[in-house]
């Protein structure tokens, strides 16, 4: 059996995690797992964790670690047969440590994008909640304004993309992300990409993963023939 590939992608809100994760999932056939989608599913289903999470999101805060890990780790256990890319988790050192106890990661992608770029992007971000599809009215607009391309359903602006919530989110991100990137740096799996444009970052990520993913799979094939 070929060895599975496990990666996380980190970066502040608006840094392009969702956009780049979709490209990675498409190009390399990995499952794209989004912590934000898991949280929204739980809010919509009014689970206990979802109801708790909603009160924090409204204030532009992170959901507490114990609520997030309770939501997420069981979902990862359902994915043991698949290669995946986890987007939006971990965001704190406690989450990184919980994930580390559950599985070994191959790569941690870190997006480093200037603050002004983030603010501008999020002002224009609209999403289709049932699928998690993300649009930007300038960068990748829907074919019809306000309407999802695939289903024809309406798009919405997320509560936590509104300016009041945004500044608090960005401040909080800076404080909590550094220990997480330090954790992955110490493990030798951190790859940081800095630019204002996703299209300029993407070729470097593509090259990185092209070297990592075939290596893992061919190593595993060798191992299984002996
Ligand atoms: N790993 C996490 N730890 C704590 N809270 C989380 C985590 N993942 C998601 N959340 C909560 O769910 C909300 C929505 O998550 P999601 O990742 O979609 O949105 P986001 O914060 O807009 O991220 P981004 O814009 O970086 O994609 C977050 O703002 C946060 O409150
Ligand atoms: N103008 C511009 N907009 C971009 C670029 N890359 C992504 N975007 C858009 C898509 C979204 O509307 C918004 C945030 O991107 P996202 O992929 O949702 O980021 P993230 O919050 O998951 O990290 O910015 C980019 O390179 N340029």
């Amino acid at each position: 059996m070929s060895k599975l590939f496990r990666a996380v992608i980190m970066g502040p809100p608006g840094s392009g995690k969702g956009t780049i994760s979709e490209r990675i999932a498409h190009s390399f056939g990995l499952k794209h797992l989004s912590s934000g989608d898991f949280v929204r599913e739980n809010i919509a289903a009014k689970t206990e964790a979802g109801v708790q999470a909603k009160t924090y999101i409204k204030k532009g805060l992170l959901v507490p670690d114990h609520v997030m890990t309770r939501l997420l780790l069981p979902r990862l256990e359902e994915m043991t047969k698949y290669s995946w890319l986890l987007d939006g988790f971990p965001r704190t050192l406690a989450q990184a440590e919980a994930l580390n106890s559950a599985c070994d990661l191959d790569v941690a992608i870190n997006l480093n994008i200037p603050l002004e770029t983030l603010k501008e992007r999020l002002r224009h971000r609209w999403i289709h909640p049932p699928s998690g599809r993300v649009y930007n009215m300038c960068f990748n607009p829907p074919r019809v304004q306000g309407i999802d391309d695939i289903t024809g359903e309406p798009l919405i602006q997320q509560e936590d993309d509104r300016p009041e919530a945004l500044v608090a989110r960005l401040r909080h991100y800076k404080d909590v992300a550094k220990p997480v990137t330090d954790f992955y740096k110490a493990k030798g799996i951190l790859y940081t990409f800095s630019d204002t444009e996703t299209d300029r970052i993407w070729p470097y990520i593509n090259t990185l993963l092209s070297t990592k993913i075939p290596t893992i799979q061919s190593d595993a094939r060798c191992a299984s023939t002996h």
Side-chain angles (χ1 to χ4, degrees):
M1 198 168 67
S2 53
K3 185 182 179 305
L4 297 167
F5 181 78
R6 312 276 195 220
V8 296
I9 184 163
M10 299 180 57
S15 57
K17 297 184 297 296
T19 306
I20 290 172
S21 297
E22 283 305 315
R23 292 188 191 185
I24 293 174
H26 180 78
S27 299
F28 295 96
L30 309 180
K31 294 226 179 264
H32 169 205
L33 310 176
S34 154
S35 66
D37 287 350
F38 290 148
V39 171
R40 283 184 284 276
E41 280 166 25
N42 276 268
I43 290 176
K46 296 192 167 64
T47 64
E48 194 189 331
V51 171
Q52 286 178 319
K54 192 173 179 181
T55 61
Y56 293 91
I57 291 179
K58 274 193 156 172
K59 295 182 201 149
L61 297 174
L62 291 179
V63 176
D65 291 331
H66 69 279
V67 178
M68 269 320 291
T69 45
R70 209 172 65 208
L71 262 167
L72 203 97
L73 294 183
R75 299 297 288 268
L76 292 185
E77 279 166 23
E78 294 165 14
M79 295 286 154
T80 49
K81 291 199 190 107
Y82 301 98
S83 290
W84 47 249
L85 169 70
L86 186 52
D87 159 15
F89 188 100
R91 291 197 191 177
T92 65
L93 185 58
Q95 292 178 12
E97 285 167 345
L99 182 62
N100 188 49
S101 323
C103 67
D104 284 329
L105 293 179
D106 299 296
V107 166
I109 296 170
N110 181 35
L111 303 176
N112 179 27
I113 312 294
L115 179 70
E116 283 312 310
T117 306
L118 300 175
K119 283 188 182 162
E120 187 56 24
R121 284 184 189 177
L122 293 180
R123 256 178 0 108
H124 297 292
R125 175 162 75 173
W126 290 76
I127 66 152
H128 177 243
S131 68
R133 271 186 287 281
V134 176
Y135 297 88
N136 181 287
M137 290 310 158
C138 312
F139 177 68
N140 59 334
R143 283 197 292 271
V144 179
Q145 181 150 10
I147 300 293
D148 179 49
D149 286 349
I150 309 289
T151 62
E153 291 167 351
L155 302 177
I156 61 148
Q157 231 180 350
Q158 290 179 111
E159 276 181 40
D160 55 5
D161 280 348
R162 296 184 200 283
E164 318 79 72
L166 188 62
V167 174
R169 281 166 76 206
L170 292 174
R171 193 181 311 126
H172 209 85
Y173 179 82
K174 271 198 163 174
D175 294 342
V176 297
K178 178 83 172 44
V180 183
T181 49
D182 287 348
F183 180 79
Y184 290 132
K185 199 181 205 171
K187 289 187 168 295
I189 60 166
L190 184 73
Y191 296 84
T192 296
F193 301 89
S194 307
D195 207 298
T196 54
E197 292 300 324
T198 294
D199 286 346
R200 281 203 293 263
I201 288 176
W202 169 241
Y204 292 98
I205 294 182
N206 196 7
T207 303
L208 169 72
L209 297 186
S210 302
T211 60
K212 295 281 174 193
I213 294 176
T215 307
I216 286 173
Q217 287 175 344
S218 62
D219 282 348
R221 270 200 299 276
C222 290
S224 67
T225 58
H226 292 112

